[in-house]
Amino acid sequence: MRRGPATPGAATDAPAPLDLRLAPVLVAAWCGAAVLVAAAVPAATAAAGTAAVAAAVLLIAARGSRRSPRPPPCVPPSPAPRGAVLGTVAACAAVVALVGASVLTTGAVARAGPVPALVEDGGAARLTLVVTGQPRRAPPPDTSWGASAPPRWVVRARVVGVERSGGDVVPARTPVVVVGSAAWSALERGARVSALGRTEPTERADPARALVLTRGPPRVLAEPRGWSAAVAHLRGGLRTATAPLGQDAGALLPGLVVGDTSALTPSLEEAMRATGLTHLTAVSGANVALVLAAVTALAALAGLGRRVRVLVAGLALLAFAGLAGPDPSVLRAALTGAVGLVGVLAARRGAGLPALAAAGTVLLVADPWLSRSFGFALSMLATAALLLLARPWAIALAAWMPRPLAVALAVPLAAQAVCGPVILLLDDGVPALAVLANLLAAPVVGPSTVLGLAATLTAPVWPPGAVGLAWAAGLGTGWIALLARAGAGAPVATLPWPGGLRGAVALAAATVLLVSGAPLAVQAVRGALSARPGRLSPWRPAVLAPTPAPGPAARPARARRRGSTRRRHRSSSSPARRASSRSAP
């Protein structure tokens, strides 16, 4: 049978089949980590051991079921083979056991040393710390009398020594959270400092084992060395190159490129939050995608093969992750990009969901405390929304608007629809202008990120060139800051909505109803407009145009055969008619 020609674009618009085999493993790792990090040591040990035994038993049962004889042909096959189901359950139990082992190992290291005793006593001591995170501005404290409190900064660090009364230093390896004055904002990762502080306990589900409230500025004992020193030099060069820019544009560019938010003012941070643009100040999968796309394009222009391009992109990914720092958001983005590169190397279509599930599982095993991080949840949900919803929504919107505009609109719509309930757990109200702000900011995010990264790499060798690149990138960040401040000042910047878990569940239910009811509403509008073609306006989309009457090519085959028979009959009888007419008197 002969088939008609393929419809243009059908191959590209056809959705890839969903591969959900690793989704249960990710869910098991997430739930197991969320429970185990808050459990006591005996309970976590018992849970990890039980999961390991269950995984071994289920794996043996799965291998035995695969060796069993096949059912006869008359028996209908089951929807899922027993061996596959048992193997999936065994993988879930195994990953829970790995998460439990990671929790116990990390907890044992953190509980060792003198810091837990200091936390129990609640006394002050001089600590030697190594900075491990980017300093961030702490929220201002509530002052009922209206007085302005001095700004406070929060820094992730690791206690490597505790000084005793006699002057001896006891070694330690305990992660802590330091709260200090503005002097802590100038520290770089890898710096070794000494500070006097009072320790307080933290929640069991927090990866930091103590909260250190410092007294006075830190005393720098050693500057960063090795790779940390090189990263600090590059980040400092970017800040120097952005100094001639305006306050908002110059402060936002380091955050857009490497996640450095130390120069952001509280007013700009609040404006970015109110308009749903806060994700632009943290390194995410979008930054990684832009860097990998730029490196891959340059490698393709150089004539390198696919495998070499993937290798070069992998090296660039490692360098960018080291430049941005070992924050959880950077690790999530880097690992997702690495798994994506593996999928590209394997040339498998539709490998986005398995890559996301594998990246999330590996991250949860390496750092189980991510399971209680809102940033981790938002990152995973946003990536899943882009993989599952952005493409079909863009195809549906392309019937109403140009395709590039449909794609640009579908991306923030999908991310906001999925992440909205989680964001509601953090802030009251729903950002009404988040989709519009992200749509207007999208065209400048890519060029500003690439130009800012080029300025970072150029600053050590050519400072004037770095200033020029930063100025070009600052045009985009200035536009983003203008959007944030204008949106935050709008009367409908935030829609009132109940907060807490009830509000999040209500918003999720409303989103599901809206998304599921949208196709029905479109069909109803299409039918109503098609029934009254005379009243349609000239700018109606083609998808709403009434179906034209069938032409000659659309008539049934029987009608075409009848028409051809009549034409042959008329053609065969025409000579006899002409002869009889000539012979008539």
Side-chain angles (χ1 to χ4, degrees), residues 136-139 141 149-154 179-182 213-215:
R136 300 186 182 277
R137 191 188 302 269
R152 307 289 288 175
W153 290 79
V154 177
V179 180
S181 61
L213 305 177
T214 60
R215 301 174 183 177

Side-chain angles (χ1 to χ4, degrees), residues 72-554:
C74 59
V75 178
S78 59
R82 181 184 177 186
V85 175
L86 292 177
T88 302
V89 178
C92 295
V95 78
V96 171
L98 290 175
V99 168
S102 178
V103 170
L104 295 173
T105 303
T106 307
V109 173
R111 287 189 300 271
V115 176
L118 285 176
V119 173
E120 294 180 359
D121 297 340
R126 178 161 294 277
L127 307 175
T128 303
L129 307 103
V130 174
V131 178
T132 59
Q134 177 69 31
R136 300 186 182 277
R137 191 188 302 269
D142 295 333
T143 53
S144 57
W145 57 87
S148 59
R152 307 289 288 175
W153 290 79
V154 177
V155 185
R156 294 274 177 177
R158 184 176 68 253
V159 177
V160 295
V162 177
E163 184 177 346
R164 291 180 175 177
S165 58
D168 298 335
V169 177
V170 181
R173 292 182 57 188
T174 306
V176 296
V177 174
V178 181
V179 180
S181 61
W184 289 84
S185 62
L187 297 178
E188 295 287 349
R189 291 188 183 93
R192 182 183 290 262
V193 299
S194 175
L196 180 64
R198 179 172 55 87
T199 57
E200 292 185 358
T202 58
E203 297 180 0
R204 184 177 294 173
D206 196 317
R209 309 308 300 176
L211 181 67
V212 180
L213 305 177
T214 60
R215 301 174 183 177
R219 185 173 75 245
V220 179
L221 302 178
E223 295 292 342
R225 300 177 181 177
W227 176 257
S228 299
V231 169
H233 186 57
L234 290 174
R235 294 166 70 98
L238 177 61
R239 287 193 292 267
T240 303
T242 57
L245 304 180
Q247 182 179 8
D248 287 350
L252 187 56
L253 184 58
L256 181 66
V257 177
V258 293
D260 184 2
T261 59
S262 58
L264 286 180
T265 60
S267 60
L268 183 56
E269 286 184 346
E270 177 62 22
M272 298 282 288
R273 184 201 62 79
T275 52
L277 297 174
T278 308
H279 63 94
L280 297 180
T281 60
V283 177
S284 62
N287 302 72
V288 173
L290 291 171
V291 172
L292 294 182
V295 173
T296 305
L298 293 177
L301 290 177
L304 302 179
R306 182 170 62 91
R307 294 180 179 272
V308 180
R309 291 200 302 268
V310 171
L311 178 61
V312 172
L315 296 176
L317 178 61
L318 291 176
F320 179 73
L323 175 63
D327 289 340
S329 61
V330 180
L331 295 178
R332 291 193 300 269
L335 189 56
T336 304
V339 179
L341 287 177
V342 174
V344 172
L345 188 61
R348 288 185 56 194
R349 189 185 178 192
L353 285 178
L356 178 63
T361 303
V362 172
L363 283 172
L364 289 170
V365 171
D367 188 1
W369 283 267
L370 289 176
S371 59
R372 291 176 172 259
S373 169
F374 283 101
F376 178 77
L378 291 173
S379 178
M380 298 296 291
L381 290 176
T383 308
L386 298 182
L387 292 174
L388 296 176
L389 301 179
R391 185 179 182 87
W393 287 11
I395 294 174
L397 292 173
W400 303 75
M401 60 187 67
R403 189 177 182 86
L405 181 59
V407 174
L409 184 59
V411 170
L413 272 176
Q416 182 65 28
V418 175
C419 297
V422 180
I423 296 176
L424 198 62
L425 296 175
L426 299 173
D427 298 313
D428 295 335
V430 178
L433 303 178
V435 175
L436 179 61
N438 281 274
L439 179 64
L440 295 177
V444 302
V445 172
S448 296
T449 303
V450 175
L451 290 173
L453 184 60
T456 304
L457 300 177
T458 308
V461 295
W462 189 26
V467 172
L469 292 172
W471 178 85
L475 297 177
T477 54
W479 169 247
I480 295 174
L482 180 63
L483 288 175
R485 293 194 179 276
V492 290
T494 304
L495 297 178
W497 194 274
L501 183 59
R502 293 183 179 179
V505 173
L507 182 60
T511 303
V512 171
L513 291 176
L514 181 62
V515 172
S516 60
L520 300 178
V522 171
Q523 292 293 338
V525 173
R526 183 182 301 174
L529 295 179
S530 300
R532 298 181 296 174
R535 298 185 181 182
L536 293 178
S537 57
W539 53 266
R540 67 185 179 191
V543 72
L544 297 180
T547 304

